Structures are given as structure tokens and as C-alpha cells.
Amino acid sequence: MSKTLKGITLKGSAELVAEFFSFGINSILYQRGIYPAETFTRVTQYDMSLQLTTDAKLKNYLTNVISQLKEWLFDCTVQKLVVVITCLETNEVLERWQFDLECDKTFFLPDQCKYESIQEEIRSVIRQITATVTFLPLLETACAFDLLIYTDKDLEVPEQWEESGPQLIDQSEEVRLRSFTTTIHKVNSMVAYKRTNST
Amino acid sequence: MDDMEDTTIFSTLKSFKSLISGPDHSLLETEPAYGRSDLQKLYTKRVELEEAAERVRSHTSLLQLTQEKQQMELSHKRARIELEKEAHSSSRDLQREIDRNRELLLKIRRLEEREEKANQALNEQMENNKALKRNLEELHKKANVKDSKLTEADQMISELKDETRRLNQKIQIQESKFSTQNLEIQALQEQLDVQRKKYQDVSQRYQNLQSSHSISTESELKMKELERRLALQEQDSVIVKNMKSEMVRLPELEREIKRLREENCFLRETKENNSLLKEETEGLRKKLERVERVMEEKLKAELEKEKLEQELQAWENIGQAAGLNIRKPEDLSREVIQIQQRELNLKQQNYTLNSRLKQMLLRVAAENKKNEQQQKLEMLLDSRRERDGMRAILESYDSELATSEYSPQLMFRVKEAEDMLQKVQAHNTEMETQLSKAQEEAGSFKLQVQMVKMTLYLYTCMCLFFRQKIEELEAERQRLEEQNNILEMRLERHNLQGDYDPVKTKVIHLQMNPTSIAKQQHAEEVEQLRLECQLLRDRIRKIEAGGGVTKDDTTLIIPPSQEILDLRKQMESAELKNQRLKEVFQKKIQEFRTACYVLTGYQIDITVENQYRLTSVYAEHMEDSLLFKSTGPVGSGSMQLLETDFSRTLTGLVDLHLFHQKSIPVFLSAVTIELFSRQTVT
């Protein structure tokens, strides 16, 4: 891994970011209760304990998306990754976790290994995701999630993928979370949720 | 249930009995009232006895009927029970037979299976037999073949034996030949040896010859070579001589070579230096060009600087010249503003001055006019005075002339006067020219003043215009800045919400994503639940409509319990019993009614509760009927006749039998007799 290299390469950065997304999405699914808590198992990553799903179908889906995302990160053609949480009964979008990606193609190899600092930043972002549960409204109805990727217009869409709408929330509140950077990729996190009528 | 029915039947019978026996009691009670004569008493007693006998008979018949009926019922019951028992037993037998049948069927099936298996085994055995037979045949064939082959082989053997004999003979012959030939060979070999020896000798000689040949050739070659060497050496000697002469030159050449080599090195170095120097010169040239450019720019800059310095100095001088405290442009602008203010003030002053000037001019003009007029007047006066003076002088001179001739003095004075006049005229013209000049200057000054005013006005207008423009531009700039901020905030907001530019980005996702799968599953579940609902609703509707067990898809999946089945059977049997009893009851009632009708001659119908309609068998019309109402408690048998059309026709009988005799049966029988008599007569 990039731990042993002196600096970060484009490939290593893409792998780091893809790994972060894999664990981040799992954390979101666990925290928001999209899948029952007993289908998750505890693993250690970034020097903290995180939840990872054991559902085979879900794992398969996530691996598909993340592997494709890694390729696109290497080509620097992906702009955003969005986790959309929809209510099944009303087909309304209730939450949107958006991760903006900025790719710096004119990178230069730094002298020192910055893996520890990147890990620290990722740790703080995931801790913040866990903390957002305190102010997000409860998801009372059965929900399902979807992963959307914003890419360049001229990108060739692979076979199993299709174009979709942005699935925006009607009347939303947005909160900006922490960001982290690997000097090649910069990831900004934010969450938008549907405003609840406080009566 | 039987008991219930029996009780009902018994109760009805009792009521009938009471009905029938009722009038008896009433009659019996009212008997002793009538005591007219013995005959009548006897007759009445007889009638009563007959009636009683009839009653008894009817009673007995009724009892008999009831007994018969009970017996029949009992027999019915027994028959039924027996039938049921038989049915049970037959059903049991049937069940047993069915079971036996089933067992037999199973046995048959098993036997059939065994038969089949046996058949199969038989078939297999047959097939095995056939196969074995075939094998046997094949083996037979093979054996035959082998036999034939054996015979052939025997034949072959015999033939081969003959051949071997022949061959042996041949061998012997050959061997003899062989031996003879061996002998010949030996002889030949001896000859061969001799020949060989000879050959060897010859070959040795040949070799010797050859060696000598070769030696001779070698010597010849050597000779040639030596000769050649000799020639060469002679050449070499010549060469050596030449070389010696040249050798003398060798050190010089060596020195020259050294020198040339050093020169070479030196030239190479110089070549390198040259190239380096060329590069340096190139670089220096470029530098020079750059420096020259820089110098030009510097000159230009210096010129500009000088100009600017001059300008600055000029500005500063302006400040100094104007005596103002100028250090920054703000001061200048302040000064400009002050100057402008001063200008305004000056303009005002100018205006006032102009007005004053105009006034002054007017006054001047007026004064000039006045002056002119005065001058004219003065001139006139002067001229008049002069004239007068001249006149006076002339007169005096005339007077004096008269006396003396003062003409030269006069002439002289005239000349003087004329000189004086000319001088005065010249003075006047000078004054006039000066006045015109002054007027012209005043006009030019006016023009200048007007020009200055115009320029000032223009400048102020331009200033105001530029100030307005500046204010407008500032306001627009602020507005645009605010708009820019708002748009940036909106853009940020939209970015947070997830908006994107469709020209540069597109949104994609996997087709088989959890949301779509979940939506599909949800829709399927909803559809399934809807179908189940529909089925349940249909089932409920059918159950409510049917009431019993329905045998189609809407039946409950719950298997009916044994209790329910027993209860259903009980219900069915009870219903059957009910039906049967109803039929029997109906039959009996019908029988009884017909019997009553036949025997009493009246058909008794219960129209309404407690009302009985009697229709006589001999009634002339269908509607002729008597209505009786039961009064008092049920079963007491007290009846009253109600008014009908028919009863109105029988008022006599009613009076007689009901009012006086108070006997309904008598009345009824009287009516019967009456109607019968009517019928037979008619």
C-alpha cells in the first residue's frame, strides 16, 4: 500500500478514496438504519471500529460500484458521489449524502509520507457522519438507498449503468461536513435532509 | 325430538278432545232446566244417550285412532331405528366391503406388480436364454471355423514337411558344393598372397620414386625461391640506400611531427575555445540586444519620468506658483474645488461686474452723448463765443479800421485764432480717436469676458456631467457587487443541494440498485396482499350467502373439526326428522279433517286466531258459512256465533237452538238437516 511509498501516487490516492467511500457508505447505512443492525459486523479500520455489512447482495452491489468508481477516480472523470435515501411508500427522497470530488491532475510527489495525516482527516469525517445522527430527523418508514455518480458529460456509460435524474430533495436543509485531501483528490462532504414540519 | 313432536301431537289431540268433549259438559250442565214431559224426557234422555254413545264411540274411535297412531308411530320409530341400524350396519358393511375392496385392490396391485416382475424376470430369462443360445451358436461356428482352420493347418504342415525334406536335400548338395569351393578359395588365396607381395614391392618402388620426385620439385622450388630472394634483396639494398638517405631526414621529420601534433592540440583547444567564445558572444549579443532594449526602455522611461517629473514639478509649481499647500492629489482636487468655487465666485463677480459694466457703458454712452452734446454745445458756445469774439474783434477792428489800419495785427490775430482753432480741432480729433480706441478696447474686453464666461460655463457643465456619471457608475457597481454576492450564495446553495450543469456533467447509477429492487418487491407485496384481500372478501361473501359448507376455491383452508361434522350430521338428521314428522302430521290432520267433514257434515277452518268457520256439506253456495269465535281461555271450548250473511238466513234456528237451548251441536245438526232437506226438496 501507499504506506510504504515515500509519497502518494494517483493510483494510491484513488484506492484510498474508494476505500473511504466503501466504509463511509457502510457507516451511513448502519447509522440511518436502512438495513437491520444485526446484518452488520464490526471491523477495525483507520484505527477505529466501523460497521461493515454481511448481506451478500448488498456487498456485491457495493463492490461493483466502488470498483467502477476507482477506475473513474484514476481517470479523474468523476465529480460527485451521492447516497440517496428514498422512502418506499411515498417515493420521496428524504436524505442526500453528497461527496464532491476535486482532482488535481498537476500533482507533484511530496517528499514525506502523509498517510497518517490523511488517515486522521478520514477519521474525523467518519466521526462527523456518526455525529450527524443527533440532528437528522428519524427515518420512520421503510427506506431504500441508491448511489448516484456525477461524471463528465462525455464519459462512456458502461453496460450495467444508466443515466438518472439528480433526485433532489424538495425543501431541504443542508449541512456542510468536514473534508479531507490526499493532495491529489479532495473530498468535500455534505448532507441534505428534508425539512420536517415542526408542528 | 320425537318426544317433542309426540307432545305436540298429544297436546293437539287433547285440545281436540276438549273441544269435542266441551259441548258435552255444557249440555250436561244445562240439562235439568228442561223438564216438560216424560216422553220428552225419555226422548231427550235417549237422544242424550245416543249422543253420549256417539260421543263415546267417537271417543273410542279417536282413542283407537290415537292408539293406532301411536302404534304406527312406534312402529315407525322402530322401523326407523331398525332402518337406521340397518343403515349403520349396512354402512359398516359397506365400509368393511370398501376396506376389503381396497385391500383386495392393493393385493391385486401387488400381485400384478409381482406378476409384472415375474414377467419381467421371465422376459429377462428368455432374453438371457436367447443370448446364451446365440453365444452357443457363435461358439459352434467358431469351433467349426477352428476345425476347418486346423485341417488347413495340418495340410500346411504336411506340405511344409515335404518342403523341408527337399530343402535338406538341397542343403546337402550345397554343402558339397561349398566344400569344393572352399578348396578353390584356398588356392586362390595363396595366389593372392603372392600377388600381394609383388604389389607391395612395386608400391615401395613407386613410393621411392615419388619421394625422389618430390625432393626434386622441392629443390627446384627452393632454387626459385632463392633467386627471388636474391632479386628482392637487391631491391632491398637499393631501397636501403634510399632509406638511409631518408633516415637522415628522420629526426627532422620527428621534430616536425611533434610540432605539428602540438599545433594540432593547440588548434583543437582553440577550436573549443572558439566554440565557447562563439557561444559567449552569442549570449553577449543577446544580452547586448536585451540591454539595448532595456536601455531604450530606460530612456523612454527616463523621458517619461522627466515628463512626469516636469508635470509633477509643473503641478507642484502650480501649487507653489499659486501659493497653495499641494502635496497629494487630494490637495489638488481640494484646490481645484476651491478654485472652482473661486471661479464660481468670480463668475458671480464677473456677472455683477458685467452688469455694472453695462450700466457703466450705458452711463458712459449717455455721458458720451452728454459729453458730445456738451462738447457740441461747448463747441457751439465756443464757436459762438469765438464768433462773438471774432465779431467783437472784427467790430473793434472794424471800428479801429475805421480809425486806423490795423490789418496786419488783425491778420496776425486772425492767424493766431485760426491756429488756435486748428489746434483745438486737432485736440478734438485726438480725443475722439482716443475715445473710439477706448471704446474698441472696452468692446474687446467685453468679448474676452464673454469668452471666459463661456469656457467657465462649459467646464462647470462638464464637471457636473462627469460627477453625475461617476455617481451612477458607483451605484451600478455596488448593485452589481450585491447581485454577484447573491448569485454566488445561490450557486453555493444549489451546489449543496446537488444541482449540476447538464452541459458538463451527467448523473448515472447502476440499473440493479437497492432502491429499484426494493420498490419492485414492495409493489409485488402490495399486489399479493390485494389479491389475498379479494379472495378473502369473496369467501366471506359466499359464506354469508351460502350459510353451509361450500365446495369451491373459497372454502376455508382450516379443516373442519369433528364436532362441527357431528353437529352438522345431527342438524341434518333433525331436519329430516322434522320434515318427516311434518308430513305425517299433515297427513293425519288431513285425514282427521276429512273424517270430521264426512261425519259431522261441516268443514271447520281456522280463519283467524280463535275464529272457526264452518261450511256445511249441503251448503247451497260456497260462501255460506258460519263463524264461531272462541271466548274465554283456550281449551275451555266456549264458543260464540258471529254474524254472517248465511247466519242471518238461519235466525230461527239460531234463536231456538242457541238462545233457548244453548247447544251448538244441536244447532249445527239442525242446520245440516235444514240444508239437507232443502237440497233433497230442490
Side-chain angles (χ1 to χ4, degrees), chain A residues 61 65 72 79-80 91 96 98 145-153 155 157 160-164 168 172 174 176 190, chain B residues 492-500 502-519 521-522:
Chain A
Y61 170 74
V65 175
W72 285 331
Q79 296 173 12
K80 289 193 222 276
N91 278 338
R96 249 175 141 264
Q98 187 167 294
F145 83 102
D146 192 6
L147 294 174
L148 305 176
I149 298 185
Y150 287 50
T151 60
D152 294 341
K153 185 85 181 168
L155 179 76
V157 178
Q160 293 176 331
W161 294 71
E162 62 176 6
E163 272 201 51
S164 111
L168 302 172
S172 66
E174 299 94 29
R176 219 176 233 284
M190 59 204 83
Chain B
E492 175 73 21
R493 184 103 196 281
H494 279 283
N495 195 23
L496 278 176
Q497 282 177 345
D499 218 347
Y500 64 99
V503 175
K504 291 182 201 155
T505 44
K506 63 184 175 190
V507 184
I508 53 175
H509 67 165
L510 266 179
Q511 284 167 355
M512 298 302 294
N513 61 68
T515 305
S516 60
I517 292 168
K519 276 187 194 166
Q521 281 176 352
H522 192 74

Side-chain angles (χ1 to χ4, degrees), chain B residues 119-153:
Chain B
N119 277 338
Q120 277 176 3
L122 192 84
N123 286 337
E124 282 175 20
Q125 288 294 320
M126 293 283 284
E127 278 169 18
N128 283 341
N129 267 345
K130 280 183 198 167
L132 285 167
K133 273 186 193 168
R134 262 181 258 144
N135 281 342
L136 259 172
E137 282 177 11
E138 278 172 19
L139 287 168
H140 274 299
K141 279 182 200 167
K142 277 184 191 170
N144 286 335
V145 161
K146 276 188 183 164
D147 284 335
S148 62
K149 276 187 187 170
L150 268 169
T151 48
E152 280 178 23

Side-chain angles (χ1 to χ4, degrees), chain A residues 180-198:
Chain A
F180 78 92
T181 173
T182 63
T183 69
I184 297 166
H185 291 106
K186 182 158 193 253
V187 180
N188 295 317
S189 323
M190 59 204 83
V191 61
Y193 56 95
K194 193 175 164 88
R195 218 178 283 163
T196 51
N197 301 325
S198 54

Side-chain angles (χ1 to χ4, degrees), chain B residues 606-612 628-632 634 639 642:
Chain B
I606 304 176
T607 53
V608 181
E609 188 76 36
N610 294 336
Q611 275 190 15
Y612 306 94
F628 284 92
K629 186 175 154 191
S630 150
T631 57
V634 175
M639 296 271 182
L642 298 174

